[in-house]
Amino acid sequence: MNKHDIASVLAEMAIVFELKGENPFKIRAYENAARVVEGMDDLELRIKDGTLTEVKGIGKNLADHITELYKNGRIKEYESLRKSVPAGLFDMLAIPGLGPKKVKFLWEVLSIKEIGGLELACKHGALRKHKGFGQKTEEKILQGIAYLRRNLGQHLYSSALLAALEVYDAVSEHPFVIRAEIAGSIRRKKEVIKDIDIVASTNKPDEVMKFFTSLPMVERTDAKGGTKSAVILKSGISADLRAVSDAEFPYALHHFTGSKEHNVAMRSRAIKMGMKMNEYGLFKGRSEKLVVCKDEAEIYKNLGLSFIPPELRENMGEIEAAEKGRLPELLNEKDITGVLHVHTNKSDGVNSVEEVALAAKKLGYSYVGICDHSQSASYAGGLKPPDIKRQWKEIEKLNSKLKGIAILRGIECDILQDGSLDYPNDILKGFDFVIVSIHSRFNMAEDEMTNRVIKAFENPYSTILGHPTGRLLLSREPYKIDMHKVIEAAAKHGVAIELNANSHR
């Protein structure tokens, strides 16, 4: 291990000591040692001849730790201490302006252990109630999270789509653009997006590229050419524009939509059928005569396939299904007649039950399920039994008052560590439906977590498993769980599994 790596570990140790509430002198000693080691030119020599303690700021204990790091690449004593600190705290420390003291408070007092939970708490104004965390602090934290994500180069589909639509609207309205489409992973509706791809057909590519690179939402231009330009938007997302002739447009759109795996499989199919396929066209025979296609549907048709929607283009059986005419019909917005997992201002939502019901009615829904947090989720204003009874009465009155929308009595009930639910059955039986969810003890072993969830299914009032993997995109990894066993148990006990449509999920 070199001096830079050693200095990095010492600095991390200082942070862990602060998070664990160690003596301030010890914390400063490791912080200083990290700076000293970083500036040493004779570190290796002093380790070998045992003279590290002669360096100002390095005592015997520090010298032993530095030597152990150099020889073994780790400090055995520190490893167990490091494991006692949630990994998400280190992600939070990467947020500009958020130091160990504040992170320690968030962890110990508010039980916030990762960026996703912190972001939600800030958006709901949960921090401002505490000393040292005003509205401005919440805003700065949210800005810091956005900054961190920009630098990670990964973006939620929801935010990437908004940025892409802004660019697309501008490009598609340009007088020299014949047609344009958003391509890439956004068109395939992937949960996490790296960049924006737009394909446009034009007879004057230079004019279009000049317009694209000078758009007001562009921060800087990384590349500019007649067929491709690349920019960084002010939102921090990279965006590429491909300019092609209108005859090439269908093939380019297909190619730049991807996925890479789907494209490879399509090219392989074309070869077997005596054709060649690339971003410039579909060509037949040795003469490579262009097979004229006015859109993507005709490309698929010429390859003996029904049209494959972009969402399915991952080479996961969609080509074989398209050949047999057995592609599934995708869910559309018109298919959704109501929503079940809605929080109100009784827990961590922002709107009243009536406001939620009226919004659902305006969207054309026939029902809405009110589903606040249960009592163990104190950080989110979980409902105690008396709160539940009051909400039930409120829902009953609103159901009598409002026409054209049915309000269902639900709850998002915590699955406790042993698999039991957060309320006794005499409370649970009063709900129209019960969503059971994991909100704590994410670090359980896979078999323990799996058994925990399956035991919750055994309760006769469990209706739906909420956000079944517990993940928060770009913020929290899924907890370890055997989904095959969970699905089998859900089928056995008649429990539905939620497809959580929140963009963070």
Side-chain angles (χ1 to χ4, degrees), residues 125-177:
L127 302 191
R128 66 187 67 175
K129 304 170 187 175
H130 301 275
K131 188 177 179 181
F133 289 91
Q135 184 177 345
K136 287 185 178 179
T137 304
E138 287 178 335
E139 290 170 356
K140 285 181 179 178
I141 290 172
L142 288 172
Q143 289 168 4
I145 292 171
Y147 173 84
L148 187 63
R149 288 195 177 132
R150 284 201 301 272
N151 283 274
L152 286 171
Q154 302 240 22
H155 309 272
L156 292 176
Y157 168 77
S158 53
S159 55
L161 178 63
L162 289 175
L165 287 171
E166 189 178 18
V167 177
Y168 165 76
D169 287 343
V171 169
S172 61
E173 290 173 6
H174 191 277
F176 295 144
V177 170

Side-chain angles (χ1 to χ4, degrees), residues 5-141:
D5 292 333
I6 291 172
S8 178
V9 173
L10 293 173
E12 181 181 282
M13 289 177 74
I15 291 170
V16 171
F17 291 147
E18 190 163 358
L19 291 172
K20 297 291 287 184
E22 287 275 2
N23 187 311
F25 294 103
K26 184 176 183 180
I27 296 165
R28 281 198 291 273
Y30 277 80
E31 288 174 343
N32 292 334
R35 287 191 289 270
V36 169
V37 167
E38 189 71 52
M40 288 178 67
D41 293 324
D42 58 346
L43 177 65
E44 185 175 345
L45 180 64
R46 286 191 173 277
I47 289 172
K48 288 179 178 177
D49 63 19
T51 59
L52 265 177
T53 52
E54 294 177 9
V55 179
K56 187 177 179 181
I58 298 181
K60 186 179 183 307
N61 195 49
L62 266 165
D64 290 343
H65 280 166
I66 292 168
T67 302
E68 188 177 355
L69 274 171
Y70 177 78
K71 291 180 177 178
N72 304 326
R74 64 191 184 97
I75 300 173
K76 193 173 181 181
E77 177 188 331
Y78 171 62
E79 284 184 346
S80 59
L81 183 67
R82 174 68 172 77
K83 288 177 182 176
S84 68
V85 175
L89 299 190
F90 290 91
D91 296 331
M92 288 163 60
L93 286 164
I95 299 168
L98 203 58
K101 285 184 179 178
K102 284 189 173 178
V103 169
K104 182 175 184 288
F105 177 86
L106 293 169
W107 174 33
E108 292 184 345
V109 178
L110 302 179
S111 299
I112 295 173
K113 296 179 283 187
E114 26 62 33
I115 289 176
L118 177 61
E119 184 178 28
L120 292 174
C122 289
K123 285 182 176 179
H124 293 143
L127 302 191
R128 66 187 67 175
K129 304 170 187 175
H130 301 275
K131 188 177 179 181
F133 289 91
Q135 184 177 345
K136 287 185 178 179
T137 304
E138 287 178 335
E139 290 170 356
K140 285 181 179 178
I141 290 172

Side-chain angles (χ1 to χ4, degrees), residues 145-252:
I145 292 171
Y147 173 84
L148 187 63
R149 288 195 177 132
R150 284 201 301 272
N151 283 274
L152 286 171
Q154 302 240 22
H155 309 272
L156 292 176
Y157 168 77
S158 53
S159 55
L161 178 63
L162 289 175
L165 287 171
E166 189 178 18
V167 177
Y168 165 76
D169 287 343
V171 169
S172 61
E173 290 173 6
H174 191 277
F176 295 144
V177 170
I178 302 166
R179 49 180 166 166
E181 287 286 352
I182 297 170
S185 52
I186 294 181
R187 190 168 181 234
R188 302 199 319 276
K189 296 181 171 62
K190 302 295 288 183
E191 298 105 329
V192 175
I193 308 297
K194 286 187 177 180
D195 50 28
I196 295 165
D197 294 289
I198 295 176
V199 179
S201 65
T202 178
N203 294 324
K204 294 189 177 181
D206 291 338
E207 291 293 328
V208 173
M209 289 304 185
K210 182 180 177 182
F211 172 76
F212 170 67
T213 55
S214 61
L215 285 170
M217 67 283 294
V218 170
E219 175 107 338
R220 73 169 192 266
T221 300
D222 284 350
K224 185 177 180 181
T227 58
K228 178 189 174 183
S229 291
V231 301
I232 303 295
L233 303 179
K234 288 177 181 175
S235 61
I237 306 177
S238 301
D240 293 351
L241 175 64
R242 311 270 179 170
V244 297
S245 69
D246 200 55
E248 293 171 333
F249 182 82
Y251 316 102

Side-chain angles (χ1 to χ4, degrees), residues 366-380:
S366 59
Y367 66 89
V368 63
I370 301 303
C371 189
D372 283 302
H373 277 290
S374 65
Q375 57 189 346
S376 286
S378 55
Y379 59 89

Side-chain angles (χ1 to χ4, degrees), residues 474-488:
L474 302 181
S475 300
R476 184 171 73 209
E477 290 296 310
Y479 42 69
K480 295 175 182 176
I481 190 165
D482 187 331
M483 282 305 299
H484 293 284
K485 288 184 179 178
V486 167
I487 291 168
E488 288 172 2

Side-chain angles (χ1 to χ4, degrees), residues 279-328:
E279 64 263 44
Y280 304 108
L282 182 63
F283 306 95
K284 194 168 186 178
R286 291 184 179 179
S287 62
E288 295 193 356
K289 182 182 177 181
L290 177 68
V291 178
V292 178
C293 300
K294 70 177 188 292
D295 54 28
E296 284 184 315
E298 290 195 356
I299 295 174
Y300 285 106
K301 185 178 179 181
N302 278 287
L303 290 170
L305 304 170
S306 53
F307 177 76
I308 300 176
E311 295 91 331
L312 298 179
R313 299 179 194 175
E314 303 294 339
N315 194 30
M316 295 178 69
E318 73 275 9
I319 293 174
E320 293 80 2
E323 184 179 45
K324 298 172 183 176
R326 295 178 60 186
L327 283 171

